[in-house]
Amino acid sequence: MRPAIVIFLLLLLLFAPFVLDAYTQYLVNLALSYSLVCLGLNLLLGYAGQFSFANAAFMGIGAYTYALLTSRLGVPSLVALPAAGMAATALGMVVAGPALRLSTVYLAMTSLAFAELVQWTFIHWSAVTLGTDGVRVRWPAVGSYVAQGDKNTFYVVLVVVAISYWSALRIVRSKLGRAFLAIRQGETLARCSGIDVERTKTIAYAISAFYAGIGGALFALTIRFIVPDGFGLVQLVLQFSMVLIGGLGSLLGGLVGSLLLTVMPELLRNVEAYQEMLYGVLLVLFVIFMPRGIVGLLGRLGLVPQEILVRGAVAYFDARRRKHSGL
Amino acid sequence: MSELLTLIAAGLEVGSLYALMALGLVLIYRTQSIVNFAHGELLMAGAFVGYVAFQPMSWPFPVALVLAVLSSTLLGVAVERVVIRPLVNHPHATLAMATVGVSVAVRGAARLPFGSDILTFPPIISAAPVFIGSLVISAQTVLTIVLAVSISVAVFLLIWKTRLGREIRATQQNYLGAKVVGINTGKIYSSSWAVASAIGGAAGVLAAPLTLLYPDMGATFLLKGFAAAVLGGFGNPLGAIVGGIAIGILEKLVGAYFSTYLIEISPYVIIIVVVFVRPQGLFGRGQIVRV
Amino acid sequence: MLSLSRVVIGYGQLEVVHGVDLKVGKGELVAVLGPNGAGKSTLLNAIAGIIRIRSGAISLDDKSIGRLPSHLTCRAGVSLVPQGRELFLEMTVRENLELGVPASARRAGPERIEDVLRLFPRLRERIVQPAGGLSGGERAMLAIGRALVAHPSVLLLDEPTAGLAPKIVDHVRETLMALKAGGQTTILVEQNVNMALAVADSVYLMNSGKIARKEDVRESKDLFESFIG
Ligand SMILES: Nc1ncnc2c1ncn2[C@@H]1O[C@H](COP(=O)(O)OP(=O)(O)O)[C@@H](O)[C@H]1O
Ligand SMILES: [Mg+2]
């Protein structure tokens, strides 16, 4: 999109708190936080083509790091925020180690085990995490200014999200971003064109975890109370659904998906059963019928520029498996 | 000494259920190269159907077992037909996502009727415990182990001794070859899921008296099933059985001599350790590491 | 009799076979020759029901089989020896052969397997070994044997001699002659021109998804050799 349009939209957003009621404002903040978590997942899955179940754990680490640093140690928000990203990054590097040499099937199981382990730690390391009691999170503060209330918090969230998206855009358009795509399209080929596959994958995990961690921190300061079981399998399915529904391999897709899936469940009045059914069914439907997501559809209809979707972004998901090739 | 034996008996009891879980996972994996993340929900469905038949309806246990097995089978076959079949040529990641979606959707559906409280399933039989020397084993434990062993034996006979089993193995070894000799591969897909889901449903009913019943109960069993299958070298049915029993016994020992907290994380730790230390599992086969 | 009319086949966006007509009379051995990528394997796979045809018709003894899935074309009497052999490598030679016997003819199985073992005595020596341990020639024989035990009305052979030693090629050729003498209807796809010309009643040339020409072999052997080179 043209920079002018983006700046115009951002300016428009600045006025959002004046027209939205407090609850809608809260939902917008939540959707924006999720959009960062999805940004992380999308970079790893949609761009670098790496499948792992660890994203919810990265988000959880970010959320807990931020919450514990600010609430229990009184660390300023502006320090705790990058710290949350860094903590998740550190974890991302740990996951990247085995991820480099595991086949998809084993990576899926191992990363799921890892995610469960992280959640278990949140629950049982109660000396630090306060266990199932959960952690209360204060309004964010910048210097002596406290962003009291959802409307003021919105500006904090908006700035962080805008910076993150801008930097992510720079990354996907850089040489590194092209290396991600090359790996997704085939490691052997990528290697032949001189890409250090191991290093690039590790970087992909690190960056993806960083955004998910920051997203987790924003999530924490938006909902202001976090509990350990918010970062399990259901969370992961929610994120998969958001990315897939929005559009895998499109930065805009993550944003669209988070907005939709944050608002839609509210229509179900927060009944857990219906929400789970919604996430699950939507995920399956989109995987089968619309693997390019909404942005992909808009692109095909010419409503958004095609370049918003990475070229061949879904080739990864359209690719046939060799066992049944052509049959 | 007798305490140790009692622990081992208890380990055998849960372990035989993990083994059933792993057996189903491996069967589906070998037929379609799919890791079924919804397998825990097949167990959960079986447990709830068994509960409804056995408790509120007060039907005899065998009837409850059969109903549970039938409904899990139906659910599994439906999932295969509706969700898996259209995606069968797609990459593992796509399929994994789809089965995760199914898993969460089924859990949500179960939460509607059963979400509000945690149910308990009474022991299936109230016969006197069995004495072996100084060892006392409850009739329930004996029944669970006997049924689990019978189910496993039946599955092995099916796979190794029947024409259907041979066709399943043929399809697993060479999909195109199976088509060439006139095997209806679609039927084989359905049959594999049917058998795997039936095992899952039976495991659910057997697990019900041991654990509480709640919509999320499948998750624990899924991970233990994964751990058992990984330990046995994902893809090897016999390895899955041995892996399941080993994990059952291990977890009882860890629980008794170390801490019960560790029981919960044992599957995760086992998966991670096996993947790092001996990725081919105890009975090495299957493609773990990228080629 | 097998007949194809205006058969079109493709993969995804790509159309690979563009309207092929082909007739194979009862007891005939028809060879299809052509360069790599001509679409020969695609054509055989389509006749066997493994790939769907886009349009056109395939019929076997006046029964339409063009839209049937592979297990039904098999039942209708079509047996394919695929280019990649596609054996069950972890099963023994006998199990591979047994799987070739249709469920409806299970009783006749041992006898049919015995016939194949007479045809390929090498397989008898290996009968209890897993197919994964066979040599290339033995694999070709097993693949052919696995198709024969179905007693197919039409046998489809996709480059059965590719990569084999000359002696084994001779053996396969003699086997094909014997089968033809026994009245077996066959389509043989080959790169080995001499082999094809030696056994075929008639030869089709296939190029870029089209049947280029059809001649009677005995009349114009030279012409083909000059065409294919
Ligand atoms: N599974 C497949 N997917 C896509 N294209 C294919 C596939 N198999 C074959 N093709 C293409 O179809 C054409 C014909 O292939 P094939 O039938 O194998 O030729 P032949 O057997 O004559 O060598 C080739 O251009 C090949 O690239
Ligand atoms: Mg070919």
Side-chain angles (χ1 to χ4, degrees):
Chain A
M1 269 187 284
R2 298 257 159 75
I5 302 179
V6 175
I7 290 169
F8 175 71
L9 285 177
L10 274 176
L11 283 176
L12 212 62
L13 270 176
L14 286 180
F15 292 101
F18 298 105
V19 288
L20 298 177
D21 62 81
Y23 185 63
T24 314
Q25 183 67 64
Y26 162 78
L27 287 183
V28 169
N29 295 359
L30 194 60
L32 286 175
S33 317
Y34 266 120
S35 76
L36 276 198
V37 177
C38 290
L39 180 61
L41 183 60
N42 214 341
L43 281 177
L44 192 66
L45 183 62
Y47 285 81
Q50 301 302 301
F51 184 75
S52 125
F53 277 135
N55 205 58
F58 295 153
M59 174 194 181
I61 294 282
Y64 263 94
T65 307
Y66 178 84
L68 294 173
L69 283 180
T70 53
S71 299
R72 298 197 72 187
L73 298 178
V75 173
S77 309
L78 285 186
V79 179
L81 208 56
M86 296 313 290
T89 306
L91 205 72
M93 310 281 269
V94 172
V95 174
L100 296 184
R101 54 191 194 90
L102 291 179
S103 65
T104 313
V105 166
Y106 267 64
L107 178 57
M109 280 188 297
T110 315
S111 56
L112 180 62
F114 166 81
E116 295 283 341
L117 204 56
V118 168
Q119 205 186 358
W120 184 88
T121 311
F122 290 153
I123 296 174
H124 290 288
W125 197 22
S126 45
V128 171
T129 64
L130 306 180
T132 45
D133 291 344
V135 188
R136 210 158 271 297
V137 183
R138 290 186 222 144
W139 294 116
V142 182
S144 59
Y145 167 73
V146 178
Q148 192 87 31
D150 291 307
K151 298 198 175 206
N152 292 323
T153 305
F154 168 73
Y155 292 106
V156 176
V157 173
L158 186 64
V159 168
V160 176
V161 169
I163 294 175
S164 302
Y165 265 87
W166 174 76
S167 59
L169 205 61
R170 293 292 298 262
I171 291 173
V172 300
R173 285 181 180 166
S174 71
K175 212 172 139 202
L176 184 64
R178 287 195 296 276
F180 287 171
L181 290 179
I183 287 180
R184 192 199 52 209
Q185 258 135 21
E187 281 178 30
T188 322
L189 206 64
R191 212 164 258 133
C192 290
S193 43
I195 293 170
D196 183 342
V197 172
E198 279 70 32
R199 199 170 139 259
T200 312
K201 273 204 228 170
T202 313
I203 295 175
Y205 271 94
I207 295 180
S208 144
F210 184 80
Y211 284 118
I214 299 274
L218 292 187
F219 175 79
L221 69 81
T222 299
I223 70 169
R224 304 184 58 237
F225 182 67
I226 55 170
V227 284
D229 49 9
F231 306 102
L233 192 63
V234 177
Q235 171 64 249
L236 196 76
V237 170
L238 172 61
Q239 293 171 17
F240 277 150
S241 307
M242 285 176 171
V243 172
L244 210 72
I245 289 170
L248 202 62
S250 149
L251 294 186
L252 184 62
L255 200 57
V256 171
S258 348
L259 273 172
L260 274 179
L261 276 195
T262 312
V263 176
M264 226 187 315
E266 295 304 320
L267 307 177
L268 302 175
R269 299 206 186 96
N270 268 322
V271 178
E272 193 187 5
Y274 290 121
Q275 289 184 359
E276 284 176 335
M277 284 158 74
L278 178 76
Y279 302 154
V281 170
L282 276 181
L283 180 57
V284 169
L285 287 180
F286 270 79
V287 166
I288 298 179
F289 296 110
M290 242 170 88
R292 284 155 191 264
I294 289 172
V295 173
L297 183 71
L298 294 181
R300 209 170 335 144
L301 298 178
L303 296 179
V304 296
Q306 282 283 356
E307 70 262 16
I308 273 189
L309 255 193
V310 174
R311 226 176 324 158
V314 232
Y316 176 64
F317 277 84
D318 285 346
R320 304 278 132 170
R321 230 188 311 168
R322 61 295 125 197
K323 179 170 149 198
H324 306 284
S325 57
L327 305 177
Chain B
M1 188 59 198
S2 83
E3 190 206 7
L4 184 66
L5 285 177
T6 311
L7 283 173
I8 289 180
L12 270 176
E13 184 179 18
V14 287
S16 61
L17 300 178
Y18 302 158
L20 291 183
M21 200 67 194
L23 190 57
L25 284 167
V26 165
L27 205 60
I28 290 176
Y29 177 71
R30 295 238 7 195
T31 304
Q32 285 172 322
S33 307
I34 289 169
V35 178
N36 179 18
F37 285 89
H39 211 68
E41 279 58 47
L42 296 171
L43 173 137
M44 179 266 287
F48 274 115
V49 171
Y51 171 84
V52 170
F54 192 55
Q55 271 292 295
M57 308 305 247
S58 316
W59 289 336
F61 177 73
V63 175
L65 181 64
V66 168
L67 282 179
V69 167
L70 282 182
S71 33
S72 288
T73 306
L74 219 60
L75 178 61
V77 170
V79 168
E80 196 279 321
R81 267 329 295 246
V82 176
V83 178
I84 306 300
R85 197 73 68 83
L87 294 171
V88 79
N89 294 327
H90 287 236
H92 299 302
T94 311
L95 282 154
M97 278 213 271
T99 60
V100 169
V102 170
S103 158
V104 169
V106 173
R107 265 189 232 188
R111 229 179 279 289
L112 287 179
F114 300 112
S116 40
D117 28 38
I118 289 181
L119 305 169
T120 54
F121 198 102
I124 301 160
I125 48 171
S126 46
V130 180
F131 294 89
I132 307 173
S134 60
L135 182 64
V136 188
I137 306 177
S138 74
Q140 172 71 30
T141 303
V142 174
L143 181 72
T144 306
I145 296 175
V146 167
L147 280 178
V149 169
S150 319
I151 292 168
S152 310
V153 169
V155 170
F156 274 83
L157 286 178
L158 174 80
I159 293 177
W160 291 100
K161 295 291 174 206
T162 66
R163 178 154 185 118
L164 177 66
R166 174 178 281 178
E167 290 185 352
I168 290 178
R169 281 184 291 129
T171 309
Q172 291 171 343
Q173 284 174 33
N174 193 328
Y175 176 77
L176 191 50
K179 286 205 160 241
V180 163
V181 297
I183 292 172
N184 183 348
T185 47
K187 188 188 93 185
I188 297 301
Y189 284 167
S190 300
S191 315
S192 297
W193 274 79
V195 174
S197 315
I199 305 172
V205 180
L206 295 181
L210 286 180
T211 66
L212 301 168
L213 277 85
Y214 53 101
D216 295 311
M217 69 184 285
T220 324
F221 279 91
L222 177 75
L223 277 156
K224 304 229 161 139
F226 279 160
V230 168
L231 191 60
F234 218 90
N236 182 333
L238 195 64
I241 303 261
V242 176
I245 289 171
I247 285 173
I249 292 175
L250 190 74
E251 113 182 355
K252 288 293 171 198
L253 296 181
V254 165
Y257 296 116
F258 296 95
S259 151
T260 44
Y261 282 149
L262 292 178
I263 292 185
E264 285 173 45
I265 51 164
S266 62
Y268 324 139
V269 175
I270 288 170
I271 292 175
I272 291 170
V273 168
V274 171
V275 164
F276 278 105
V277 177
R278 194 180 157 80
Q280 70 276 36
L282 296 177
F283 297 84
R285 70 160 308 142
Q287 184 194 348
I288 303 111
V289 177
R290 284 167 196 276
V291 270
Chain C
M1 191 187 73
L2 180 76
S3 97
L4 279 67
S5 84
R6 295 193 300 280
V7 167
V8 176
I9 318 161
Y11 301 98
Q13 308 277 329
L14 190 72
E15 189 180 302
V16 169
V17 171
H18 323 282
V20 159
D21 295 299
L22 188 74
K23 277 196 169 38
V24 186
K26 206 160 188 59
E28 257 188 336
L29 195 162
V30 165
V32 178
L33 301 178
N36 260 330
K40 308 180 297 294
S41 299
T42 304
L43 190 65
L44 288 197
N45 282 330
I47 299 173
I50 289 171
I51 307 176
R52 272 176 204 283
I53 60 173
R54 296 245 165 108
S55 63
I58 305 178
S59 65
L60 178 62
D61 298 332
D62 299 326
K63 188 170 168 256
S64 172
I65 59 165
R67 298 277 181 294
L68 296 183
S70 57
H71 65 279
L72 293 182
T73 51
C74 251
R75 206 176 293 171
V78 179
S79 273
L80 169 69
V81 177
Q83 192 166 7
R85 319 297 196 227
E86 314 298 346
L87 300 172
F88 307 111
L89 297 181
E90 291 167 35
M91 296 191 192
T92 64
V93 169
R94 180 177 288 284
E95 283 178 306
N96 270 276
L97 291 173
E98 282 169 356
L99 273 161
V101 180
S104 57
R106 198 152 2 141
R107 200 128 341 120
E111 196 181 312
R112 291 184 181 187
I113 290 173
E114 192 53 38
D115 291 342
V116 165
L117 295 180
R118 262 198 294 277
L119 211 52
F120 300 114
R122 285 279 283 277
L123 292 182
R124 193 190 296 279
E125 296 164 28
R126 305 254 182 235
I127 191 84
V128 292
Q129 291 183 13
L134 300 185
S135 70
E138 290 160 350
R139 286 183 190 203
M141 294 175 201
L142 180 54
I144 297 173
R146 188 180 67 178
L148 286 177
V149 291
H151 281 192
S153 328
V154 182
L155 178 66
L156 309 174
L157 298 164
D158 198 348
E159 307 203 16
T161 65
L164 299 187
K167 244 172 102 177
I168 303 177
V169 175
D170 289 344
H171 183 37
V172 171
R173 190 183 59 225
E174 281 154 23
T175 309
L176 291 188
M177 302 281 235
L179 288 173
K180 190 167 89 168
Q184 175 69 57
T185 311
T186 307
I187 300 181
L188 169 69
V189 160
E190 262 302 340
Q191 300 259 358
N192 182 335
V193 181
N194 288 330
M195 148 102 184
L197 294 180
V199 296
D201 294 313
S202 49
V203 174
Y204 287 77
L205 281 180
M206 193 164 182
N207 208 347
S208 312
K210 290 211 174 86
I211 293 283
R213 31 173 154 172
K214 170 184 180 285
E215 299 288 341
D216 192 74
V217 180
R218 277 160 298 239
E219 285 164 16
S220 52
K221 237 176 189 172
D222 303 341
L223 192 69
F224 282 110
E225 273 162 12
S226 66
F227 188 90
I228 290 191

